[in-house]
Amino acid sequence: MTYDIAIVGGGPAGLAAALNACRRNLRTVVIGKEEFSSKLTQAHRIDNYPGLPSVTGEELARKLREHAESNGAVFVKDEIQSIYPEEDMFNLYGREHQLQAMAVILATGITLGAEIEGEADFVGRGVSYCATCDGMFFRQKPVAMVGYIREAEAEVAFLAEVCSHVYYLPLYKNPGPVDSRVTVIEGKPVAISGNGQVERFTTTAGIWEVSGVFIERAGRPAGQLIGNLAVDAEQFIVTDALQATNIPGIFAAGDCTGKPWQIARAVGQGQVAALSAAHYLDTLKKRQTV
Amino acid sequence: MTYDIAIVGGGPAGLAAALNACRRNLRTVVIGKEEFSSKLTQAHRIDNYPGLPSVTGEELARKLREHAESNGAVFVKDEIQSIYPEEDMFNLYGREHQLQAMAVILATGITLGAEIEGEADFVGRGVSYCATCDGMFFRQKPVAMVGYIREAEAEVAFLAEVCSHVYYLPLYKNPGPVDSRVTVIEGKPVAISGNGQVERFTTTAGIWEVSGVFIERAGRPAGQLIGNLAVDAEQFIVTDALQATNIPGIFAAGDCTGKPWQIARAVGQGQVAALSAAHYLDTLKKRQTV
């Protein structure tokens, strides 16, 4: 069968898109790599998804999925490798499945390669990728920030206000001035370690006792799924305010469209993408009837 | 005192902005006309706010408000009449209060004038402004759509699929072709009536028995609060992808920035606006220190 809408990615953006697509009575499939978004389920606690205070990432992932599923969304566990357009339709090739849909919503998120030793082990237990989301959990505690990109400086300024001390490792050229409460470390990250929770951050310049390590990296988005898709200088998918990409019938939402990376933003964009896809399908059907 | 961020409007966009602003440790005030957003609390049931299936508008409004309040947001009940910039700062004039803030987030929503007799009485009891949100509640039931603008046609096409019958009153020039399941009525709306729930829709062309009346009107947004604020042809506030307006320090989020009108979109935009305002304040402070 040909679905009305195929959604590539089962994170917050994809699940929110699925919900609205189903509310519009469209045959909707969500293709996700994992049962639940691993980035979401690893979050120990999420305090800024409006209306659901203090949920764990796993709870939120389950709620979003159940909400979409109870409205009729079909889930397929697979990783889409490429998408090829065919007259008024798209073929999606996964590792195991091949699917067809009239419209596609890309909600592939970003891939943050875990490269520091111990980083992957302590995600949600002291390692964080979002100072706004998690900074308050480290109030009056010492933390480190590893900044692969200049955007880390604004996060460091915020952490300096909240935490008892901030060690900052800038890993790009010509870092700017930082708050006087911040110790800038000229070295490379070596390992994150501790007993269940982050306790130590080892660098080539020394070992620091910290409760948290924040990491700010450029994401590696998946704009290369389909030929000629417009992406920006950082490889994020370019969309208009209605989440349409440069290819008619292809929409995008969430982290794969760029910063800021926020769950509620991804969810809102997912819903808008679904409405825009619904509108596109209406237009398509009208054209086919003529 | 001068607040870091003043948020004008206490609906979903404003409350989500307040939550993220507080998570960034900023002194945040929300100025709302009413205790809770009336547009939100009038919704009988909201089925497409991801993660919170089947909430009433009142429940969702309370949850969003409590979430912001428990993180430190201050609420002021007032209606802001005008905003005047003063060196690196804004003065906000309400009917009763005058406030000062370093940055402002406009989340004023839209004003949908209730003009059909009985319309205001039946909001949430058969009268709806969003086919996507509420269409499914009228599955296999007869409904009417009053379209003041051409955008209503897409909504009518959706309702035709879901409802047992759709009566359509286009109130603009040269309406396009509609689905064969739709009866186009050439007349003007007169009154909406019923016993507790919508039962009848009276027009100059006849009286129709319906369970719901959908109304699609152009909104009247509040872009005129501050001089030189850029608005589009429909008077919606123009923002970039980070919710910044053309005036440094003034951000906007939610329905006042245009369509589609969706709670989750407003919430996501509110959160992004708060982060952008936080970034603006960082830059401002850095400049002041130099």
Side-chain angles (χ1 to χ4, degrees):
Chain A
M1 73 175 272
T2 302
Y3 288 97
D4 290 317
I5 300 186
I7 297 165
V8 185
L15 295 175
L19 172 59
N20 249 9
C22 291
R23 301 293 304 169
R24 287 301 295 237
N25 229 5
L26 298 167
R27 284 161 304 174
T28 304
V29 63
V30 178
I31 309 113
K33 272 206 296 276
E34 300 137 314
E35 195 69 26
F36 293 109
S37 156
S38 61
K39 198 150 52 97
L40 185 55
T41 51
Q42 278 169 359
H44 47 146
R45 203 174 116 194
I46 295 162
D47 258 347
N48 70 335
Y49 184 72
L52 285 171
S54 283
V55 285
T56 66
E58 206 172 325
E59 277 172 329
L60 183 56
R62 200 174 344 101
K63 277 177 199 285
L64 294 176
R65 167 119 177 208
E66 283 171 2
H67 201 167
E69 224 159 12
S70 67
N71 277 270
V74 172
F75 285 79
V76 170
K77 193 176 164 185
D78 202 343
E79 186 173 8
I80 296 300
Q81 304 293 304
S82 54
I83 300 171
Y84 292 99
E86 202 186 299
E87 210 186 322
D88 287 346
M89 209 258 287
F90 297 94
N91 289 298
L92 295 93
Y93 296 92
R95 293 186 190 280
E96 292 173 44
H97 303 83
Q98 188 198 329
L99 297 107
Q100 296 190 317
M102 312 280 284
V104 173
I105 296 173
L106 300 172
T108 50
I110 43 161
T111 316
L112 295 165
E115 289 163 23
I116 304 174
E117 191 190 316
E119 176 182 337
D121 302 331
F122 289 98
V123 171
R125 294 187 289 147
V127 166
S128 167
Y129 303 98
C130 177
T132 300
C133 310
D134 297 334
M136 287 297 189
F137 297 131
F138 298 91
R139 199 192 274 271
Q140 300 305 329
K141 291 179 180 169
V143 299
M145 165 69 91
V146 184
Y148 289 86
I149 52 175
R150 189 171 301 278
E151 281 77 358
E153 290 176 16
E155 308 289 289
V156 164
F158 167 57
L159 292 174
E161 285 176 29
V162 174
C163 304
S164 64
H165 199 82
V166 181
Y167 300 96
Y168 183 41
L169 262 88
L171 296 173
Y172 48 91
K173 284 182 189 162
N174 307 318
V178 292
D179 193 285
S180 58
R181 292 165 289 186
V182 175
T183 306
V184 175
I185 296 174
E186 293 183 11
K188 299 254 182 274
V190 174
I192 297 162
S193 55
N195 192 359
Q197 285 282 332
V198 168
E199 292 169 359
R200 270 174 314 282
F201 181 39
T202 306
T203 73
T204 55
I207 299 176
W208 319 94
E209 292 198 2
V210 295
S211 300
V213 178
F214 288 82
I215 301 167
E216 186 82 17
R217 274 198 192 95
R220 277 181 267 141
Q224 55 277 77
L225 277 176
I226 179 163
N228 301 318
L229 184 66
V231 294
D232 66 17
E234 295 182 83
Q235 298 297 309
F236 292 116
I237 300 168
V238 177
T239 73
D240 65 13
L242 296 173
Q243 307 306 131
T245 71
N246 64 315
I247 301 175
I250 303 268
F251 303 83
D255 290 358
C256 64
T257 67
K259 289 202 157 195
W261 296 329
Q262 293 275 302
I263 295 170
R265 169 182 176 266
V267 163
Q269 289 190 344
Q271 289 214 324
V272 171
L275 293 190
S276 298
H279 182 71
Y280 165 81
L281 293 175
D282 282 347
T283 315
L284 203 66
K285 279 175 202 161
K286 229 175 242 176
R287 184 152 58 81
Q288 285 167 343
T289 330
V290 175
Chain B
M1 74 175 273
T2 301
Y3 287 98
D4 290 317
I5 300 185
I7 297 164
V8 184
L15 295 173
L19 171 61
N20 248 9
C22 291
R23 301 293 304 169
R24 287 302 294 240
N25 230 6
L26 298 167
R27 284 162 304 174
T28 304
V29 62
V30 178
I31 309 111
K33 272 204 298 273
E34 299 138 313
E35 196 69 24
F36 293 109
S37 156
S38 61
K39 200 150 53 100
L40 186 54
T41 51
Q42 279 170 358
H44 47 145
R45 202 172 119 196
I46 295 162
D47 256 348
N48 72 334
Y49 184 72
L52 285 172
S54 283
V55 287
T56 65
E58 205 171 328
E59 277 172 330
L60 183 56
R62 198 172 347 99
K63 277 176 197 289
L64 294 176
R65 167 119 178 208
E66 283 171 3
H67 201 168
E69 222 158 13
S70 67
N71 277 271
V74 172
F75 284 78
V76 171
K77 192 176 163 185
D78 202 345
E79 186 173 9
I80 296 300
Q81 303 294 306
S82 55
I83 301 172
Y84 292 99
E86 200 185 301
E87 212 186 320
D88 288 345
M89 209 257 288
F90 297 94
N91 288 300
L92 295 92
Y93 296 92
R95 294 188 189 278
E96 293 173 43
H97 304 83
Q98 187 197 332
L99 297 107
Q100 295 189 318
M102 313 280 283
V104 174
I105 297 173
L106 300 172
T108 49
I110 43 161
T111 316
L112 295 165
E115 289 164 22
I116 304 174
E117 191 191 315
E119 176 182 338
D121 303 329
F122 288 98
V123 171
R125 295 189 289 147
V127 166
S128 167
Y129 304 98
C130 177
T132 300
C133 310
D134 297 334
M136 287 298 190
F137 297 131
F138 298 91
R139 198 191 276 271
Q140 299 306 329
K141 290 179 182 168
V143 300
M145 163 70 90
V146 184
Y148 289 86
I149 52 175
R150 188 171 302 277
E151 282 76 358
E153 291 176 15
E155 307 290 289
V156 165
F158 168 56
L159 292 174
E161 285 176 29
V162 174
C163 302
S164 63
H165 201 80
V166 181
Y167 299 95
Y168 183 42
L169 261 87
L171 296 173
Y172 49 90
K173 283 181 189 163
N174 305 319
V178 293
D179 194 286
S180 58
R181 291 165 290 186
V182 175
T183 306
V184 175
I185 296 174
E186 292 182 12
K188 299 252 181 276
V190 174
I192 298 162
S193 55
N195 191 0
Q197 287 282 333
V198 169
E199 292 170 358
R200 269 176 313 281
F201 181 38
T202 306
T203 72
T204 54
I207 300 175
W208 318 94
E209 291 198 2
V210 295
S211 301
V213 178
F214 288 83
I215 300 167
E216 187 81 16
R217 274 197 191 95
R220 277 182 267 141
Q224 53 277 72
L225 278 176
I226 181 164
N228 301 318
L229 184 67
V231 295
D232 66 15
E234 295 182 83
Q235 299 297 311
F236 292 116
I237 300 168
V238 177
T239 74
D240 64 14
L242 296 174
Q243 306 307 132
T245 71
N246 65 314
I247 301 175
I250 303 268
F251 303 82
D255 290 358
C256 64
T257 69
K259 290 202 155 195
W261 296 329
Q262 293 275 301
I263 294 169
R265 168 183 177 265
V267 163
Q269 289 190 344
Q271 289 214 323
V272 171
L275 293 189
S276 298
H279 182 71
Y280 165 81
L281 293 175
D282 282 347
T283 314
L284 202 67
K285 280 175 201 162
K286 226 174 245 178
R287 183 153 58 81
Q288 285 166 343
T289 330
V290 174

